Structure formats: structure tokens, C-alpha cells
Amino acid sequence: GGVAGGTRYSLRGTLHMLHFLLQAPLHPCDGCQQRFDYFASLHRDRAAAIAQYQPLRRHPSLFGTAARWRREWLSADARAALESRGGGGGLRSHLAEVSPEVFAFPLLREECCAMLVEEVDSYLASGLKAARPNSMNQYGLVLNEVGMEALFDSLLETVLQPIARACFPREGGGLDRHHSFVVQYAAGKDLGLDMHTDDSDVTFNICLGRDFEGAGLSVCGDMGDSAHRHFTYRHTHRVGHCLMHLGRRRHGADDITAGGRINLI
């Protein structure tokens, strides 16, 4: 035991208090326990879905805490950009600025895109629980929730972070988290998406494939600017190509007119 300020403390008493604090809600106010229980339930569901899908995985290298993004999955242009000398300026010179602070460039090889599409289709066909990507898209899959979080941690660290830093030194200089998901557009599903902004510092939007017509992406100004409603650019999706912009840039998915499109965000 010990004495501080005339009060005697014991190891047993300290451990008892620590045990209580770890068991009790951090904020014991009305509704807190229900919120803790809700998120604990989400975690259990996520862990169960990952475990149940494990024997059904088509490409095991995409999963698990040891998963890493492979250089050969990147396009030749993306590899050249990342290996270019001259710091961020050299990297940025490989990226097409199609509108002010909007960049388009080939990022993934078609074989990589096909592999990701095959895995997404396999999971969605399994009947396991699939969380909606966001509050707007009804069809898609949150990849972090099915065991691919480490893979996209690696993509962020080794590929996306250097690109974002080169183009957006302030907003993209210290990216440390990601919400990685796919969205699907097709007849009978989501056709398009109204103008909106993203809850992100920087957004990467990569077309993974399928055959489709229409389904472009319209870009306006930054939210908060006087010209935020002014149309500035319409992007035509190509398999493996990425569109990068700040999260505050207003944009929307044009309606698909035929076929289906799947994009990685």
C-alpha cells in the first residue's frame, strides 16, 4: 500500500476501481449504455460475417491482417508516377488535372479490377449481411466490414497518401483513415446519385468495371464557394481509372442508361 496526502491506498483497491471503470460506461448518462451495446453488437456481427465468409473467399490474398497491396496490381502509369524523382512535383506531373483540383489517372490494372469485382460478387451472393456503403447508395459493400481493412490500409499508405500529398498538401498531407467501399449502378438498382459532398478530406473514385452506358460523373464547385453550384466537368468512367478530388467538391453520378457499373470509393 501507499500513502498520499494522508490517504492510504492499496493495490487491491486500485485494481478494484480499475475493473469497475473498464466495465462501466465511460459516460454514465441516459442512453450511453444502449449506445455501447449497439456498437458492441455491430462488432460481433462484423466478426461473425468475416469468419463465415472465410471458407468462401475467392482471393485469400485480399484478406486478413497481413494483407498488403501489391505493386503489380497498379497500372504502369501509376507505378511510374510513384517511382518518379523530383518529389511531389514529379509525381503530380503524371496526373491529369482535368478541372481545377480534380485529377484523373489510370491507377489499377484491369486484372486487379476483375479480381475485386469477382470477390465482391462472391460475397454478395453468399447471403451474408452486407452493410450499405453510405446513407445514399442502396447497393454496394463496405470492404472494411468483410475483412479487407488491412489491404486498404496498405493501399492508403503506399499509394494513395503520396498521390494525395502531391496534389493536396494541406488536406491530403496526413491521411490516416479510410472508408473503403464499392457502389453499384444498374437498372433495378441505383441508377445515379444526386449532387453531394463527401465526408472525407480526399476522395478516390475508381471504376472497377462491367459493361455500361451513361453513368458519368458530374462535378461542380467546392461547397461554401460562391460557384459551388456551377458545373465544371463531366467525367467518363474507364476501367482502372481513378478520379480524385477533395471531399468538399460537389459531384453526382449521372444515371446509367444500360448495363451495370461498379466503382471502388
Side-chain angles (χ1 to χ4, degrees):
V3 177
T7 302
R8 186 175 183 84
Y9 297 93
S10 69
L11 178 59
R12 180 185 295 274
T14 302
L15 292 175
H16 178 77
M17 179 59 69
L18 179 61
H19 181 261
F20 170 78
L21 290 174
L22 292 175
Q23 282 190 318
L26 298 179
H27 302 284
C29 53
D30 290 342
C32 268
Q33 187 60 53
Q34 289 84 348
R35 295 297 292 168
F36 280 114
D37 291 343
Y38 169 72
F39 285 111
S41 175
L42 289 181
H43 176 72
R44 287 193 297 269
D45 290 347
R46 178 188 189 220
I50 290 173
Q52 291 168 21
Y53 184 63
Q54 184 171 354
L56 304 176
R57 293 171 180 171
R58 304 296 298 272
H59 302 280
S61 62
L62 301 177
F63 296 89
T65 57
R68 295 294 181 269
W69 199 267
R70 298 180 182 177
R71 212 70 166 178
E72 60 264 29
W73 294 345
L74 300 175
S75 71
D77 287 345
R79 293 197 301 271
L82 292 167
E83 294 164 2
S84 62
R85 300 184 181 275
L91 192 161
R92 181 168 174 164
S93 67
H94 288 262
L95 313 176
E97 190 168 8
V98 294
S99 185
E101 296 190 326
V102 178
F103 297 85
F105 50 93
L107 181 62
L108 303 181
R109 295 179 59 192
E110 290 192 9
E111 295 85 351
C112 175
C113 296
M115 175 177 61
L116 291 170
V117 170
E118 184 178 32
E119 198 67 67
V120 168
D121 286 345
S122 175
Y123 185 90
L124 294 176
S126 72
L128 293 171
K129 186 175 181 179
R132 286 176 55 185
N134 51 52
S135 61
M136 299 172 292
N137 290 94
Q138 300 286 336
Y139 298 90
L141 183 65
V142 181
L143 301 178
N144 292 357
E145 299 297 308
V146 301
M148 296 189 192
E149 187 169 5
L151 178 73
F152 288 97
D153 286 345
S154 174
L155 176 65
L156 174 64
E157 179 183 353
T158 62
V159 179
L160 303 185
Q161 173 65 90
I163 293 173
R165 184 185 295 116
C167 298
F168 305 113
R170 182 176 63 181
E171 297 89 348
L175 302 181
D176 57 4
R177 295 184 61 192
H178 61 90
H179 177 53
S180 300
F181 58 92
V182 295
V183 293
Q184 297 190 75
Y185 296 95
K189 297 183 179 181
D190 292 327
L191 295 178
L193 198 62
D194 290 339
M195 281 287 172
H196 63 281
T197 58
D198 296 332
D199 185 17
S200 68
D201 292 314
V202 182
T203 293
F204 295 84
N205 187 337
I206 309 157
C207 181
L208 296 183
R210 305 204 198 279
D211 296 322
F212 59 89
E213 296 177 10
L217 191 136
S218 296
V219 180
C220 292
D222 287 346
M223 181 59 72
D225 289 353
S226 59
H228 73 277
R229 293 186 178 275
H230 293 184
F231 172 83
T232 60
Y233 173 68
R234 175 166 286 112
H235 181 68
T236 299
H237 288 290
R238 297 169 57 191
V239 174
H241 284 237
C242 176
L243 187 75
M244 178 182 68
H245 55 80
L246 294 174
R248 63 175 177 265
R249 179 61 58 96
R250 294 184 73 245
H251 58 285
D254 304 335
D255 282 355
I256 194 166
T257 56
R261 174 167 69 83
I262 180 169
N263 275 48
L264 168 65
I265 314 295

